[in-house]
Amino acid sequence: FSWREFYHAYMAHLNAPFAMEPSKLAAIPLDSWSKSAEQAVLNALKYRRPNVVLLDEANHFASVSSGKVLLEQMTRIKSFANRSGVLHVCFGTYELM
């Protein structure tokens, strides 16, 4: 699972003005980019004020090497939903369960 692609798609669907092209994202180190991208998405949610965010094919969050990383992925999404104040609904295959 790629958080870069997730944040890029998120910002693109929100029509965020500073969404970068995926080819440019690959050149930025993940540690420095991840926090600022997360904050950009939170700001976009604040100004766009959607009622709900639907995450289709959320079973891709489970494409990780261990259960600990899977728990970390789900905790990250939950934290993101809590901080944004926007309900996030995940859809996916039975792998998600």
Side-chain angles (χ1 to χ4, degrees), residues 59-79:
N59 49 295
H60 292 292
F61 287 117
S63 299
V64 293
S65 59
S66 71
K68 181 180 178 182
V69 176
L70 175 61
L71 182 60
E72 206 172 280
Q73 300 274 63
M74 295 296 116
T75 301
R76 194 169 182 178
I77 291 293
K78 183 178 183 283
S79 171

Side-chain angles (χ1 to χ4, degrees), residues 1-26 28 30 33-34 36-42 44 55 76 80:
F1 179 78
S2 170
W3 282 101
R4 286 178 198 252
E5 290 177 20
F6 174 77
Y7 286 133
H8 172 71
Y10 213 127
M11 287 190 281
H13 286 293
L14 285 169
N15 293 322
F18 299 110
M20 295 178 76
E21 293 298 319
S23 60
K24 293 179 183 176
L25 293 176
I28 302 171
L30 186 59
W33 182 85
S34 182
S36 60
E38 188 172 305
Q39 191 59 50
V41 172
L42 288 172
L55 300 173
R76 194 169 182 178
F80 195 73

